[in-house]
Amino acid sequence: MLSLLGLLAGLALLIVMAMRGVSLFIATPVCAAVVALSSGLPLLPPDGEPAVTDALGSYMQGFSGFIASWFFMFLFGCIFGKLMQDSGAADSVARWVLRTIGPRHAALAIVIACIVLTYGGVSLFVVAFSVYPTALSLFRAADLPRRFIPAALGFGSISITMTAAGSPEIQNWIPIKYLGTSPWAAWQASLAAAIVMAIIGQAWLNWMIGRAKARGERFEPREGDPVDSRQVLPSPLLSLVPLLAVLVLSFLLHERLHTAALIVALLAGCVLTAAVGWRHLQAPGAALGAGSADALIAIGNTAAVVGFGAVAKAVPGFALAVDWITHLPGHGVVNAAFAVAVIAAMTGSASGGQAIALPILAPLYLAQGVDPSQLHRSVALASGTLDAMPHNGYIVTTIRAVCGETHKAAYFPMAAMTVVVPLIGLAVAFTMFALGF
């Protein structure tokens, strides 16, 4: 019991430290130490060589293991996004979508632009930075409260596409390693969930914006607002080529290369982006450097959370919690989704929640005869529900760094789009599984 209390205390401390802006490279070792000390797990190896029987060895095994498995996907994904941004291809696609739909449907235009870019493999963070200036122009033209822009960005980027079947985002590919499935696993349930989420989410977002306008909220310009200053961009149709290539190649090569297919697809996307937008590249060397740096930060933050999870897995309290979850009444698909959602909420990371839970849960539920495709889709969808807590890296970056808003003003509508709506989608997937799809 003391071990379980220490585990909960470590998780609570991690959330508090993350919300206060403490780096995960500092927060996770500190919280891992709290978990280890409460369980009697040695912090350091007695002979100086880290092993899985001490906190340092457990942390580094989880940290380095995640990087070894996913480094090149993060690397090429971030470089691809930066090249799309530097060449203007991301702006071209976003402006084309936004211009086609128009200011009257500003929120819908932002959502669709984000869906197109993220489903084509562009990093979530790059999409937020790329779409925001044009989104701001649309909200200004339609006189809509700007505090809803983060909700529109999050709804299009992480609620619908991040965990959808066929998505090149890492959250749809991590389960493949443990379940031997395809990125298109349970696509029928995924499609039904996406349609329901899109309808309900967009109606809800429009309703919230309408209520705010009825209360007198309007667009409020601020000094230093970004503007669409770049006039010459590549053709939007040509700019779609790299995005489509990533999707097509990842699908065609999956059977032969498995998760490595995504590496090849993203690398091809980088090459095609450079070819399509060669005349428009402003600083390709800087884009490569920035993409590499972003990849190190992104995978490092996630690996730090996985390292904390590895220490948590080594203490008796974690085994007690897993035993409780796995013996809950109900279907294994639901229980696995519940476990991943809870861990993702505690860590503020969808990919971190999957990486911590799947090595334990996958063998257990597969041995029970649970359908791997259903398990894949439910785990992927569940990881994108409760992960969007206030301390989530994407939430903090989008609200504060990209949009310049506060959590008080922008988090509730964003939570509605990135927590409640995905939970509805998960329920739809469960219903589809019950009906035999």
Side-chain angles (χ1 to χ4, degrees), residues 105-153:
H105 304 288
L108 176 61
I110 295 169
V111 171
I112 293 177
C114 291
I115 289 174
V116 171
L117 291 170
T118 50
Y119 209 76
V122 180
S123 167
L124 305 170
F125 293 94
V126 172
V127 169
F129 280 103
S130 298
V131 175
Y132 176 66
T134 311
L136 194 66
S137 298
L138 273 181
F139 266 58
R140 182 188 296 112
D143 194 25
L144 302 179
R146 60 191 295 162
R147 67 185 182 92
F148 291 97
I149 294 179
L153 293 173

Side-chain angles (χ1 to χ4, degrees), residues 31-51:
C31 297
V34 171
V35 173
L37 290 173
S38 65
S39 301
L41 186 70
L43 293 181
L44 300 172
D47 57 1
E49 291 295 328

Side-chain angles (χ1 to χ4, degrees), residues 68-80:
S69 297
W70 305 105
F71 173 72
F72 282 104
M73 295 184 189
F74 275 82
L75 176 65
F76 290 134
C78 288
I79 289 177
F80 176 46

Side-chain angles (χ1 to χ4, degrees), residues 33-325:
V34 171
V35 173
L37 290 173
S38 65
S39 301
L41 186 70
L43 293 181
L44 300 172
D47 57 1
E49 291 295 328
V52 292
T53 55
D54 62 87
L56 176 62
S58 297
Y59 183 93
M60 290 311 301
Q61 184 182 59
F63 186 97
S64 60
F66 186 84
I67 292 179
S69 297
W70 305 105
F71 173 72
F72 282 104
M73 295 184 189
F74 275 82
L75 176 65
F76 290 134
C78 288
I79 289 177
F80 176 46
K82 283 296 182 181
L83 288 174
M84 286 285 292
Q85 187 178 40
D86 187 67
S87 67
D91 287 340
S92 179
V93 172
R95 290 190 196 180
W96 173 65
V97 172
L98 299 172
R99 185 172 59 249
T100 301
I101 296 177
R104 181 183 174 188
H105 304 288
L108 176 61
I110 295 169
V111 171
I112 293 177
C114 291
I115 289 174
V116 171
L117 291 170
T118 50
Y119 209 76
V122 180
S123 167
L124 305 170
F125 293 94
V126 172
V127 169
F129 280 103
S130 298
V131 175
Y132 176 66
T134 311
L136 194 66
S137 298
L138 273 181
F139 266 58
R140 182 188 296 112
D143 194 25
L144 302 179
R146 60 191 295 162
R147 67 185 182 92
F148 291 97
I149 294 179
L153 293 173
F155 180 43
S157 297
I158 65 177
S159 300
I160 299 177
T161 55
M162 184 179 76
T163 58
S167 172
E169 300 296 336
I170 195 73
Q171 291 80 4
N172 183 48
W173 283 72
I174 291 178
I176 297 173
K177 175 181 178 180
Y178 302 99
L179 301 174
T181 48
S182 157
W184 295 91
W187 66 266
Q188 300 96 328
S190 178
L191 178 61
I195 292 173
V196 172
M197 284 192 289
I199 295 172
I200 293 178
Q202 192 60 50
W204 193 0
L205 181 58
N206 292 339
W207 178 79
M208 287 190 292
I209 294 174
R211 277 179 56 90
K213 287 200 69 174
R215 290 193 301 265
E217 291 189 49
R218 296 292 185 268
F219 183 89
E220 297 179 359
R222 297 172 187 164
E223 185 177 352
D225 277 345
V227 296
D228 295 326
S229 58
R230 192 163 173 169
Q231 300 301 321
V232 181
L233 295 171
S235 162
L237 293 179
L238 284 178
S239 299
L240 285 171
V241 171
L243 304 177
L244 295 174
V246 171
L247 281 176
V248 172
L249 285 175
S250 62
F251 173 73
L252 294 178
L253 299 177
H254 166 71
E255 291 296 330
R256 187 169 62 180
L257 300 180
H258 303 287
T259 55
L262 185 57
I263 298 176
V264 176
L266 289 171
L267 179 58
C270 294
V271 174
L272 284 172
T273 301
V276 168
W278 181 256
R279 293 188 301 108
H280 303 275
L281 285 171
Q282 296 180 328
L288 291 173
S292 302
D294 287 350
L296 289 175
I297 295 172
I299 196 172
N301 282 331
T302 305
V305 172
V306 175
F308 168 81
V311 175
K313 288 194 305 185
V315 302
F318 188 84
L320 182 64
V322 170
D323 182 69
W324 174 72
I325 291 172

Side-chain angles (χ1 to χ4, degrees), residues 309-400:
V311 175
K313 288 194 305 185
V315 302
F318 188 84
L320 182 64
V322 170
D323 182 69
W324 174 72
I325 291 172
T326 54
H327 286 84
L328 286 173
H331 197 277
V333 169
V334 178
N335 292 349
F338 174 75
V340 170
V342 170
I343 295 174
M346 292 176 174
T347 59
S349 170
S351 54
Q354 289 188 24
I356 292 170
L358 279 172
I360 299 171
L361 300 179
L364 176 66
Y365 289 119
L366 290 178
Q368 294 178 4
V370 176
D371 183 278
S373 294
Q374 293 184 1
L375 196 58
H376 176 136
R377 191 53 49 208
S378 62
V379 163
L381 287 168
S383 73
T385 55
L386 302 183
D387 69 309
M389 303 301 285
H391 61 291
N392 174 277
Y394 174 84
I395 299 295
V396 173
T397 301
T398 302
I399 290 178
R400 296 185 178 274

